[in-house]
Each structure stands twice: as C-alpha cells, then as structure tokens.
C-alpha cells in the first residue's frame, strides 16, 4: 500500500486517479484548492487544501507521502499558460525542500509535444485553434522543464490525443515520445484507463525520470 497525495483531486482525471488508487487499497489524500466544496470519495484518508504554485504548500501536502500526483488543469488556454509550467517549477522546488524524504512526483502531462512522425509533433498539425495551442504548448514547456530535473524523482504521463470519460477496461498500450495510435490511426484513451496506467506506474515504476504515454 502506498501513501498517495493527489493534487487536483476534483478534476476529471484527478478524480479517476483517486478512485483507481482507492480500489487497490492505497491510502489517498485528496488535495484541492477549497476542501469545503469537495465531496470526498468514500475511503479517502484526508482532504487537504493545497496550492501547486506555492512551493511551501507543495512541501506541506507532500510530506510523509510516497507519491505526489499532480493532476491540475488550467481550464482554458490562458489558464494553462499561467499554471502548468510555473506549477512544474513549484512542485519540484517544494519537493527539493523535503530532501531525501521527498516522495516521487507523477504529473499528468499533455499529448501536444509527442511525435506523430520523426521530427513532427502533434502541435505541428495545421489548423489547430489558438486556445488549443496554448494548452498543449503549456504542457510542452512543463515537459521541457522536467527534462532538466535530475535531483527529484519524477515521471510525466502524457495521455493519448483524445482523453475523455468512458469505460474502465484495464487495457492500454504505452509509448515514450511517439503518440500511441490504433489500427485506424486514432489516438484515444478513457480517463478511467489513463488512471489505471498511472496507478500501475505507482505500483511498478518503469519510467523514473522520463515521460511516457498511453493509448488504446
């Protein structure tokens, strides 16, 4: 059993991670901006207020945990631009403050910087709207920052090109820097199966210090 703190536990992805981790007997702390408006899932050990942009807050909620999961999101394009990469720096700074006692960090990433062909990334596709480019480049900037970090144990899990609520099948395929696509060339994953892959990584670490991705 692992002690897991989930930042962004109210969100579409974070809530599924909480549910999946609890179903496997892990001890989960839900970290949200305002605990007063969070309807705690049965079995959650604690609900804590936390701010991913405040290194001291990060250190506080991460202390004593085995894993800190960041499933935060910024809503629209400008929101992501203001949150995702600055939060990556704050998360790392907060964990650095805990020294050798710092938990592992697993961050929900984006698919935009994955390759669709050698040297071609998802965000190079023509016709992408500006709001979407802001979101995917925010995740790309965060990924570029994580790639410079070698004194905190981190993993980034990028989703498929399309991630949305659906069925938990427990089936998925993994990749590293290339978008995972099916026989029809489509890239998709349910939030439920994404959570399965993330909790699998918690239980059986295989991607320390790097990014990986999942798809059906």
């Amino acid at each position: 059993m692992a002690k897991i703190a989930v930042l962004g536990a109210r969100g579409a992805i974070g809530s599924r991670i909480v549910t999946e981790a609890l179903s496997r007997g892990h001890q989960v702390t839900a970290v949200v901006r305002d605990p007063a408006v969070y309807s705690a899932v049965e079995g959650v050990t604690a609900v804590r207020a936390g701010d991913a942009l405040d290194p001291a807050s990060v250190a506080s909620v991460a202390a004593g945990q085995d894993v800190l999961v960041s499933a935060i999101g910024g809503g629209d394009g400008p929101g992501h631009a203001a949150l995702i990469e600055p939060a990556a720096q704050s998360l790392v700074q907060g964990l650095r403050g805990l020294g050798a006692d710092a938990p592992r960090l697993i961050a929900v990433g984006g698919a935009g910087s994955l390759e669709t062909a050698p040297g071609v990334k998802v965000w190079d596709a023509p016709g992408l709207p500006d709001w979407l480019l802001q979101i995917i480049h925010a995740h790309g900037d965060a990924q570029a920052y994580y790639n410079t970090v070698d004194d905190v144990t981190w993993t980034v899990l990028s989703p498929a090109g399309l991630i949305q609520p659906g069925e938990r099948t427990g089936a998925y395929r993994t990749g590293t820097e290339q978008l995972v696509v099916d026989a029809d060339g489509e890239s998709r994953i349910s939030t439920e199966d994404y959570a399965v892959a993330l909790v699998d990584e918690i239980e059986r670490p295989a991607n320390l210090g790097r990014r990986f991705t999942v798809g059906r």
Side-chain angles (χ1 to χ4, degrees), residues 100-174:
D101 294 327
R104 291 173 57 200
L105 171 64
I106 301 183
V108 173
S113 59
L114 294 168
E115 289 187 335
T116 55
V120 180
K121 298 182 184 294
V122 172
W123 61 37
D124 294 324
L128 296 177
D130 287 343
W131 66 266
L132 180 57
L133 286 169
Q134 284 183 293
I135 291 173
I136 60 182
H137 278 287
H139 282 288
D141 290 343
Q143 184 62 56
Y145 170 71
Y146 283 125
N147 290 341
T148 71
V149 175
D150 60 8
D151 59 341
V152 168
T153 304
W154 62 270
T155 298
V156 172
L157 177 52
S158 287
L162 176 64
I163 179 169
Q164 59 187 10
E167 181 184 2
R168 183 197 185 282
T169 69
Y172 60 87
R173 293 176 294 134
T174 63

Side-chain angles (χ1 to χ4, degrees), residues 192-211:
E192 288 79 4
D193 282 340
Y194 177 94
V196 170
L198 190 143
V199 178
D200 282 349
E201 176 67 21
I202 290 175
E203 295 179 345
R204 299 183 297 278
N207 296 280
L208 300 180
R210 69 174 185 174
R211 183 249 296 267

Side-chain angles (χ1 to χ4, degrees), residues 9-190:
R10 288 187 66 204
I13 296 177
S15 62
R16 267 73 173 190
I17 294 168
V18 169
T19 298
E20 181 67 27
L22 288 172
S23 75
R24 304 196 199 183
H26 296 294
Q27 184 174 317
V28 179
T29 295
V31 184
V32 295
R33 291 180 183 176
D34 184 1
V37 299
Y38 176 66
S39 298
V41 178
E42 183 178 355
V44 165
T45 300
V47 180
R48 298 276 307 275
D51 182 356
L53 293 175
D54 180 355
S57 179
V58 171
S60 177
V61 299
Q65 303 292 327
D66 299 310
V67 181
L68 176 65
V69 175
S70 173
I72 59 173
D76 59 9
H80 274 77
L83 176 66
I84 302 300
E85 193 273 343
Q89 295 203 32
S90 175
L91 290 166
V92 169
Q93 185 178 342
L95 293 178
R96 279 176 175 153
L98 297 177
D101 294 327
R104 291 173 57 200
L105 171 64
I106 301 183
V108 173
S113 59
L114 294 168
E115 289 187 335
T116 55
V120 180
K121 298 182 184 294
V122 172
W123 61 37
D124 294 324
L128 296 177
D130 287 343
W131 66 266
L132 180 57
L133 286 169
Q134 284 183 293
I135 291 173
I136 60 182
H137 278 287
H139 282 288
D141 290 343
Q143 184 62 56
Y145 170 71
Y146 283 125
N147 290 341
T148 71
V149 175
D150 60 8
D151 59 341
V152 168
T153 304
W154 62 270
T155 298
V156 172
L157 177 52
S158 287
L162 176 64
I163 179 169
Q164 59 187 10
E167 181 184 2
R168 183 197 185 282
T169 69
Y172 60 87
R173 293 176 294 134
T174 63
T176 51
E177 293 299 316
Q178 291 74 41
L179 192 71
V180 176
V181 298
D182 62 18
D184 297 322
E186 296 185 344
S187 178
R188 61 180 61 191
I189 192 79
S190 69

